[in-house]
Amino acid sequence: MKTTWALPAFFLGGLFLAGMAQAGDVNGKISETGLKSEENIVVYIDAIPGKKFDAPAQHGTVDQRDLKFVPQTVVIQRGGTVDFLNSDHVAHNVRWPSISGDKTLAGNLLSISPGQKKSFEFDHVGTATILCNYHFDMKGYVVIVPTPYFALTSHDGTFTIKNVPAGTYTLKTWSPDGKPTTQSITVTDAATNVEVALVKN
């Protein structure tokens, strides 16, 4: 007589859950002293030990509209591409003198005609301050971060970084007029709440 063994459902379920990577959201609030705004501050996880990330397929977008860069700050993962559009009726260009002070990483997309776009892939972590040679008041930022775990703060300084794998990491911030911050956080499979204090540069 052939004997068959049936594993209890709860045991199989336990194996399934154990094989799943635990992850949770990081919810936070920026408090600032002397900054122009709590909005559009970049918050990101610096690294996930043992993990490398492919370049994202989805592009970031910066429009040139009403003689402004819109949005003024865009965040992309390293290796990501930004599409620079021109929705104005005059020509623009997009240039950045450096990425985080490294002038060898300077770029210039030359003239972008009305209704056209040019794209660029950013392969180095850091911040590119984008300018227009034709309109000196235009200024924006492309912030390139090393992981896909990042967020921009809303108008009240709050942010959420979704689905961060459980573990202990370094949380960093960047803003145009605030000093960069670094702090350690531990993420579980539940929501993790953090507070970040920024002061003016």
Side-chain angles (χ1 to χ4, degrees):
M1 178 178 180
K2 185 177 179 180
T3 303
T4 59
W5 296 90
L7 292 175
F10 71 85
F11 180 75
L12 291 172
L15 287 176
F16 175 75
L17 291 173
M20 294 178 61
Q22 293 183 327
D25 294 348
V26 176
N27 301 317
K29 175 76 168 66
I30 297 288
S31 62
E32 53 81 21
T33 302
L35 273 63
K36 292 180 181 178
S37 172
E38 297 175 342
E39 190 173 10
N40 291 328
I41 294 169
V42 180
V43 187
Y44 62 97
I45 302 292
D46 184 53
I48 305 291
K51 294 198 72 172
K52 294 184 178 180
F53 302 98
D54 294 333
Q58 185 173 358
H59 291 194
T61 301
V62 175
D63 199 356
Q64 295 162 100
R65 188 190 323 142
D66 299 327
L67 303 185
K68 296 178 181 178
F69 290 113
V70 182
Q72 187 178 40
T73 300
V74 64
V75 193
I76 59 168
Q77 182 192 324
R78 176 172 49 200
T81 297
V82 177
D83 297 328
F84 295 96
L85 315 178
N86 182 357
S87 295
D88 278 336
H89 297 292
V90 296
H92 289 295
N93 92 308
V94 178
R95 68 177 180 90
W96 50 98
S98 70
I99 294 181
S100 292
D102 187 343
K103 294 182 179 180
T104 67
L105 302 178
N108 193 335
L109 300 185
L110 300 177
S111 182
I112 305 176
S113 301
Q116 301 299 308
K117 76 173 182 179
K118 290 189 177 182
S119 302
F120 189 85
E121 181 181 304
F122 289 88
D123 290 325
H124 296 83
V125 170
T127 301
T129 299
I130 53 176
L131 307 166
C132 176
N133 283 341
Y134 307 145
H135 307 96
F136 298 146
D137 290 338
M138 293 178 65
K139 187 176 185 180
Y141 306 95
V142 177
V143 183
I144 310 105
V145 298
T147 74
Y149 304 107
F150 59 82
L152 270 175
T153 57
S154 60
H155 69 280
D156 59 355
T158 58
F159 64 88
T160 297
I161 304 175
K162 291 282 190 180
N163 297 320
V164 179
T168 298
Y169 309 114
T170 299
L171 185 75
K172 293 187 175 183
T173 64
W174 174 91
S175 71
D177 58 341
K179 292 182 179 180
T181 67
T182 298
Q183 68 187 70
S184 178
I185 64 167
T186 298
V187 180
T188 67
D189 58 353
T192 301
N193 298 311
V194 298
E195 294 184 5
V196 183
L198 269 67
V199 297
K200 186 175 176 60
N201 264 330

